[in-house]
Amino acid sequence: IGTTIQPRFFDSPTFGSRYIEHAKEIDSSISAIEGDKKLIKKIANKQDLLSIALFDLWMGNEDRSHNNYNLLLRSDPEYVFMPIDHERCFNGNSVTAERGFVILTEDETLLNTELASLIFRNFKGLPELVDEIAANYYLWVADCEKSLENAINAMPDQWGIQKEDRIALLKSTLFHQAWIDECKITFEDYATRFLKP
């Protein structure tokens, strides 16, 4: 098994991700994309980079930035971005009822990366797209809140999560209106400053 995966890791229920064929992780150099303008045109879900960046703000995901994109580019049947590795959400799992969430800094957002600049360079309709995503954001948050209790209650009891406490914590922090609004405002600010259409 090697040194990174140990049998004891499977003493309680685990889950894994399906292997995705025809996918390559985007590394910090992004040279393959940068050198192929035809490839950029073939990416079908460019707008998803904006949605992912907003999701990261809301979820306090501190691990997707210019140092670590945590994105796959799948090439079958079309080129699409796929986000991976959300382990550092909830500000690295440090959110408490007293402290709440802390907004991602300019260096911790996907919007302030070479990749985002490359994808949205000369992108027509960028301001309108940012507005559309910001407007849909409230609908997405509402859908997530409706699913919260079912998602938490589906977690295996063996994980030792105090489910009622976790639901209460998320309702008072993740779904607090002031936090939701702060993320939207920050998203619009970062998109305006860092992405040049």
Side-chain angles (χ1 to χ4, degrees):
I1 290 180
T3 58
T4 56
I5 299 176
Q6 301 295 321
R8 63 185 166 80
F9 294 170
F10 302 95
D11 289 343
S12 62
T14 60
F15 68 92
S17 300
R18 181 183 299 172
Y19 175 74
I20 301 170
E21 287 190 85
H22 311 291
K24 181 180 185 319
E25 187 168 3
I26 298 173
D27 62 23
S28 59
S29 71
I30 65 166
S31 55
I33 296 175
E34 190 169 22
D36 190 346
K37 292 184 179 174
K38 289 180 182 177
L39 173 59
I40 294 171
K41 289 181 181 177
K42 291 179 184 177
I43 297 172
N45 66 335
K46 295 178 186 76
Q47 70 281 358
D48 282 1
L49 279 185
L50 299 176
S51 300
I52 292 166
L54 180 50
F55 172 83
D56 286 343
L57 282 166
W58 179 53
M59 295 293 289
N61 183 11
E62 299 174 344
D63 196 27
R64 192 184 338 269
S65 66
H66 60 92
N67 290 321
N68 184 20
Y69 286 112
N70 277 332
L71 291 169
L72 298 179
L73 185 62
R74 191 191 72 204
S75 60
D76 180 44
E78 56 190 356
Y79 288 90
V80 292
F81 289 116
M82 302 180 71
I84 58 171
D85 190 359
H86 298 89
E87 176 192 359
R88 300 289 299 164
C89 285
F90 308 116
N91 292 133
N93 210 25
S94 67
V95 172
T96 64
E98 297 75 29
R99 187 182 85 130
F101 279 81
V102 176
I103 200 75
L104 299 182
T105 67
E106 296 176 359
D107 289 331
E108 295 172 314
T109 177
L110 185 60
L111 296 171
N112 188 18
T113 63
E114 185 182 356
L115 176 64
S117 295
L118 183 65
I119 295 300
F120 292 107
R121 185 180 302 149
N122 303 319
F123 188 93
K124 294 179 181 172
L126 180 60
E128 294 79 10
L129 183 57
V130 168
D131 290 345
E132 179 185 335
I133 288 171
N136 285 327
Y137 164 62
Y138 289 104
L139 301 174
W140 298 331
V141 168
D143 285 345
C144 288
E145 188 168 16
K146 288 177 192 171
S147 303
L148 175 64
E149 290 190 26
N150 287 339
I152 298 295
N153 288 325
M155 293 179 179
D157 292 336
Q158 296 93 324
W159 288 0
I161 294 171
Q162 301 299 314
K163 295 178 183 180
E164 288 184 12
D165 293 345
R166 186 59 56 97
I167 290 168
L169 173 64
L170 293 176
K171 282 186 175 181
S172 69
T173 56
L174 186 65
F175 295 101
H176 191 278
Q177 193 61 50
W179 172 246
I180 294 168
D181 292 341
E182 181 181 0
C183 293
K184 175 184 174 284
I185 291 166
T186 303
F187 168 72
E188 292 170 329
D189 173 49
Y190 286 175
T192 300
R193 287 196 288 129
F194 299 132
L195 302 178
K196 307 298 181 190

